[in-house]
Amino acid sequence: MTETAADPAGTRPPLTLVKNTATPEPAPADPPAADAVVEAVDRPDNPLADWLSVPDAPVLPAWARSAASVKANAAAFGRLTWWHTQYHGFRVPKYLVKTVLLAARGFFRATMGLWPTLSAQDHTATVKALRAQVKARPEDVDLATRLQMAHFERTRTRRWRFGAAAAAVAAAAVGIALADPALQAGIAGAVVTPLAYLGRGKETHLLDQGAPPLRVDMSAQQLNDALRAAGLLKSGRANEDEKDAPRVSCSMGPVRDGRGWAVIFDLPRGGGKTASDVLAKREVIAQELGVDEIQVIMSRVRASKGGNAGRVSMWVADDDPYLGKPNPSPFATAERFSIWDPIPFGQDARGNRIEVPVMWQSMFFGGLPRRGKTFTQRLMTAAGLLDPHVRHYVADGKGGADWMPMRAVAHRLVMGAEDDAIEALKAMLAELLAEMERRFAILRELPTSICPEGKLTPDIVQRYNLPVIFVTIDELQEYFTAMEKEDREQVINDLCRIARRGPAAGFVSNFASQRPDAESVPTKLREIITLRYSTQVVDRASSDMVLGKGKAAQGADASVLSEDHVGTGVLVTGPASYVTVRADYLDGTGFALLCQKGRALRQAAGQLTGDAAGDVTAAADASGVKLPPILSDALEVMRHSPRMFTTDLLAGLVNLDEDVYGDFNAERLASELEAAGVKRTSKQVKISGTNAAGYQRRDIEAAVPAEILLAHG
């Protein structure tokens, strides 16, 4: 039997265990024939047992076993080289002065060493003996004369050699003074370098010993110390340095991986700790490693990747990986997209692309205001804009400008949470439920050769004109808080039916709320959503409200994000799958251009339907006709009402764009509309039996150029 346990990082060869599956038989009294012997490799007397039962040692070091690791280490080496270049480059003047001082000391040492020769001193044994005799008998003139004659004979050649050397040095100095500056510099270097080397001391270094300040310098010892401080490893009677103290075993690393350190380790057996315990101690481990918890990315290594219940993959970033220039969405320049493909969503901490398949899924987005929640939610809808066989149903409880460009594409568009908008939302949900049941009836009648799984397919979409339906509802809490209890329960039940049964009929639900609590987003709705994304929230309880109960304890905690992490959130894609993602950036202008592209695609494919087909403002934009802003905004506010009181119209305009309409009153509104060509047939309107100053929508539509109304009305 052969069993292979693959390494999750792909950095080491698989572990192969070979066992004999034959049933052993009693050993015969006499040795059997050679061809009848079955030799088991795990027998203690087999010389090959040890060699066959252990994994092969890897040939390459850990950092060189994958292209990503080699690239990361090469990049780190390049950054280190550039740092040292800058560090020592600024100190070149200091090094020059130090070199001159060392050369001066070397020249002194060389002179002192050569002085006996240069001074023509003679230290031969004969001369020393004569000198000693002269000292003993200073009155012996003959002996002194003999000493002088011996010294003269011994040093005669040294004197003319010294003179010749002095003349040569003088001539060389004159030649160098007259030479080219480049040659002078080279000669000076050739002379100064050996002198500086001679002048050095044991503790003297020409270059400063600089080291770059590492933000994170991770080692196996630091990892063990951090886990021990977090209570995940036993200390061993206060002797943590003992060889027998419990330690993790690293199957990979720590090695450089991108702009951080990666390690895969197994917890020791017998300690009673699991990978889930490690994930729950993320903040403590980060503190012990000296980093912020946002820099620590941990996950379990599952059995499918060679893992077990005690194996953890951890990556520690050098700095905050979610800050910096945002990543532009590929939709900003795309021309078409198929909703059946995974949607480009963003990047994780290591820079890996994150794509999210949305077919057969439902999505929920939550988080605090002004953290990029709506921008991120619009990414999913933007994917459907570039597929002409996607029909959009959109409702925005806030009624602001974020979703206004969808009027060019949306089959149904509900803006705001006023009474008329709530009625429009209820009608939209009723329409969706009726369409869902109609589709199921069609799918049930189709043969298995066309509909093998009872679900929508790309071929069915084209053949039976059943486009994928994208249901986008933003600011759910606005609708729920504005509704009566009975209406609220009915809407919740309708949304649950769409999220639960709709995917098989080609419905993709895309919901969002700012206040993820039980009142604004009921539990029975949240629990059936398959994909969840949360930007920053105030605490772990709020994070679990969006991402699911117990997710924060598993590491999926959006409360660790800060106000600087705009557009960053935690994405949960399954019961045990999550990732912190910095979502791609698509601004309001880019989203509006996508809506215009989507309108053109649908017109060409004959798929422009519903509200978008009859929207005069969208038609004007598509025709290149610029309507006065007050005209298009008033029509947007009155989208669901044939008539509206002036006070309500003003409130809707302020909600749409407070910066523009915050100072408007009834007189200024009337003046602006009149200047835009609006002629009121009546200054009073009657709504629910009440007469008051107001406007008729038909009067405002009459100010739209006639050619647009005739072509698109």
Side-chain angles (χ1 to χ4, degrees):
M1 178 177 66
T2 301
E3 300 176 356
T4 302
D7 178 23
T11 59
R12 60 173 184 171
L15 175 64
T16 304
L17 306 178
V18 183
K19 298 181 180 180
N20 180 23
T21 57
T23 302
E25 297 180 359
D30 298 324
D35 56 356
V37 174
V38 179
E39 182 69 32
V41 298
D42 55 355
R43 281 178 49 177
D45 58 345
N46 182 5
L48 299 179
D50 292 338
W51 184 76
L52 293 175
S53 60
V54 298
D56 294 334
V59 177
L60 297 175
W63 62 268
R65 296 175 199 165
S66 68
S69 180
V70 171
K71 182 178 179 181
N73 281 273
F77 178 76
R79 293 195 301 272
L80 179 64
T81 302
W82 175 239
W83 187 92
H84 277 291
T85 301
Q86 291 177 302
Y87 179 86
H88 294 294
F90 284 115
R91 289 163 174 77
V92 167
K94 175 183 177 181
Y95 296 157
L96 290 176
V97 173
K98 186 184 286 188
T99 300
V100 172
L101 295 176
L102 290 176
R105 186 164 66 179
F107 179 77
F108 174 77
R109 290 178 176 177
T111 302
M112 293 299 295
L114 294 174
W115 182 250
T117 301
L118 296 176
S119 61
Q121 294 182 7
D122 195 344
H123 299 285
T124 61
T126 302
V127 173
K128 287 182 178 180
L130 289 173
R131 190 177 291 120
Q133 292 178 15
V134 170
K135 287 182 179 180
R137 294 182 294 172
E139 69 284 357
D140 192 342
V141 177
D142 182 61
L143 184 61
T145 303
R146 289 172 56 196
L147 174 62
Q148 291 179 351
M149 292 298 294
H151 176 72
F152 179 80
E153 291 296 330
R154 295 287 300 176
T155 60
R156 176 184 298 177
T157 58
R158 294 184 184 179
R159 277 189 287 273
W160 72 262
R161 288 177 181 177
F162 176 74
V169 169
V174 173
I176 293 173
L178 299 176
D180 183 81
L183 180 60
Q184 291 178 347
I187 295 174
V191 173
V192 170
T193 299
L195 290 177
Y197 180 80
L198 183 62
R200 81 195 193 285
K202 292 183 178 180
E203 304 298 329
T204 303
H205 300 281
L206 176 62
L207 301 181
D208 293 347
Q209 303 301 309
L214 296 177
R215 294 171 181 166
V216 181
D217 186 13
M218 191 170 171
S219 65
Q221 182 61 42
Q222 286 177 308
L223 176 63
N224 280 282
D225 291 344
L227 295 175
R228 189 169 290 111
L232 299 168
L233 293 177
K234 295 181 180 179
S235 297
R237 296 182 181 180
N239 294 323
E240 299 181 5
D241 295 331
E242 291 183 357
K243 294 182 179 180
D244 57 349
R247 294 176 177 271
V248 299
S249 57
C250 297
S251 59
M252 186 197 78
V255 295
R256 290 294 298 177
D257 183 0
R259 298 187 68 90
W261 293 90
V263 61
I264 299 177
F265 61 88
D266 291 323
L267 292 172
R269 298 182 182 181
K273 300 296 182 180
T274 66
S276 298
D277 296 321
V278 178
L279 302 185
K281 294 284 188 176
R282 174 187 177 189
E283 184 176 0
V284 178
I285 294 173
Q287 188 272 333
E288 292 296 327
L289 292 175
V291 298
D292 191 277
E293 62 264 34
I294 198 69
Q295 297 173 243
V296 180
I297 312 299
M298 295 191 296
S299 62
R300 285 190 57 183
V301 181
R302 293 290 179 174
S304 60
K305 297 181 179 180
N308 55 68
R311 177 165 291 187
V312 179
S313 173
M314 183 167 71
W315 186 76
V316 182
D318 294 336
D319 49 20
D320 193 325
Y322 304 110
L323 299 180
K325 187 177 180 181
N327 310 307
S329 171
F331 292 131
T333 56
E335 296 298 327
R336 291 183 71 98
F337 183 79
S338 173
I339 199 65
W340 297 87
D341 296 332
I343 295 177
F345 188 69
Q347 295 184 3
D348 66 5
R350 305 191 198 191
N352 300 317
R353 290 296 304 172
I354 301 299
E355 296 182 335
V356 180
V358 297
M359 288 303 299
W360 328 123
Q361 305 286 351
S362 53
M363 298 171 287
F364 181 78
F365 293 79
L368 293 174
R370 292 172 295 281
R371 295 296 185 271
K373 171 183 58 64
T374 297
F375 277 61
T376 308
Q377 185 191 19
R378 285 194 316 199
L379 281 176
M380 319 308 285
T381 303
L385 292 174
L386 296 179
D387 189 337
H389 295 284
V390 174
R391 182 174 295 169
H392 290 274
Y393 287 73
V394 181
D396 178 16
K398 182 180 178 181
D402 291 334
W403 295 96
M404 279 183 58
M406 286 297 296
R407 61 191 175 192
V409 179
H411 181 82
R412 294 285 179 261
L413 179 61
V414 178
M415 302 294 291
E418 292 76 19
D419 292 343
D420 55 344
I422 290 176
E423 293 301 321
L425 174 66
K426 292 162 59 179
M428 184 183 83
L429 296 178
E431 179 181 338
L432 286 168
L433 291 173
E435 174 65 14
M436 184 175 66
E437 297 302 332
R438 184 183 77 87
R439 292 185 174 214
F440 279 129
I442 294 174
L443 295 175
R444 283 195 298 267
E445 298 298 327
L446 294 178
T448 55
S449 58
I450 298 177
C451 185
E453 298 181 3
K455 298 190 297 185
L456 202 67
T457 65
D459 181 62
I460 295 174
V461 168
Q462 298 280 348
R463 182 181 299 187
Y464 296 94
N465 191 26
L466 297 176
V468 175
I469 291 182
F470 219 101
V471 184
T472 302
I473 303 180
D474 194 7
E475 309 293 355
L476 269 172
Q477 78 283 348
E478 297 294 333
Y479 290 115
F480 292 149
T481 56
M483 290 178 182
E484 298 293 336
K485 182 178 180 180
E486 293 182 0
D487 288 341
R488 182 173 181 272
E489 291 298 324
Q490 182 60 47
V491 168
I492 292 172
N493 290 334
D494 291 345
L495 292 175
C496 288
R497 290 180 61 190
I498 292 172
R500 184 171 53 249
R501 300 186 59 221
F507 284 50
V508 179
S509 299
N510 184 17
F511 304 148
S513 174
Q514 283 187 2
R515 295 203 311 270
D517 53 38
E519 290 297 322
S520 59
V521 186
T523 303
K524 69 188 238 180
L525 175 60
R526 291 199 314 269
E527 292 304 316
I528 60 176
I529 302 294
T530 53
L531 300 176
R532 306 180 187 186
Y533 180 87
S534 177
T535 58
Q536 184 196 14
V537 292
V538 295
D539 52 29
R540 302 184 71 171
S542 298
S543 179
D544 282 350
M545 281 284 184
V546 180
L547 302 178
K549 185 177 181 181
K551 286 295 186 292
Q554 298 177 8
D557 183 8
S559 67
V560 303
L561 301 173
S562 71
E563 58 274 9
D564 296 325
H565 295 123
V566 178
T568 299
V570 181
L571 174 67
V572 172
T573 57
S577 301
Y578 65 89
V579 62
T580 301
V581 183
R582 190 179 188 198
D584 293 335
Y585 179 68
L586 180 65
D587 60 13
T589 302
F591 184 71
L593 291 175
L594 277 182
C595 289
Q596 292 301 322
K597 285 184 182 179
R599 183 180 181 90
L601 289 173
R602 282 159 179 76
Q603 286 177 329
Q607 293 294 323
L608 190 64
T609 59
D611 293 348
D615 191 291
V616 295
T617 303
D621 292 340
S623 302
V625 178
K626 182 64 176 178
L627 293 179
I630 185 64
L631 203 62
S632 60
D633 291 345
L635 286 173
E636 189 61 44
V637 173
M638 299 182 69
R639 172 179 291 273
H640 313 297
S641 304
R643 62 190 65 84
M644 184 174 286
F645 294 137
T646 301
T647 54
D648 294 336
L649 180 56
L650 281 169
L653 289 171
V654 170
N655 185 60
L656 191 64
D657 194 335
E658 185 175 1
D659 294 336
V660 175
Y661 301 109
D663 297 331
F664 269 51
N665 54 27
E667 290 75 16
R668 184 175 177 184
L669 175 62
S671 175
E672 293 285 344
L673 287 174
E674 184 178 355
V678 175
K679 297 180 180 179
R680 299 168 69 179
T681 57
S682 173
K683 294 186 178 181
Q684 297 284 320
V685 296
K686 186 176 183 180
I687 302 176
S688 301
T690 302
N691 281 309
Y695 291 85
Q696 301 279 354
R697 188 173 64 192
R698 64 173 182 266
D699 293 340
I700 300 177
E701 289 177 343
V704 178
E707 61 271 18
I708 295 178
L709 293 175
L710 291 174
H712 303 278

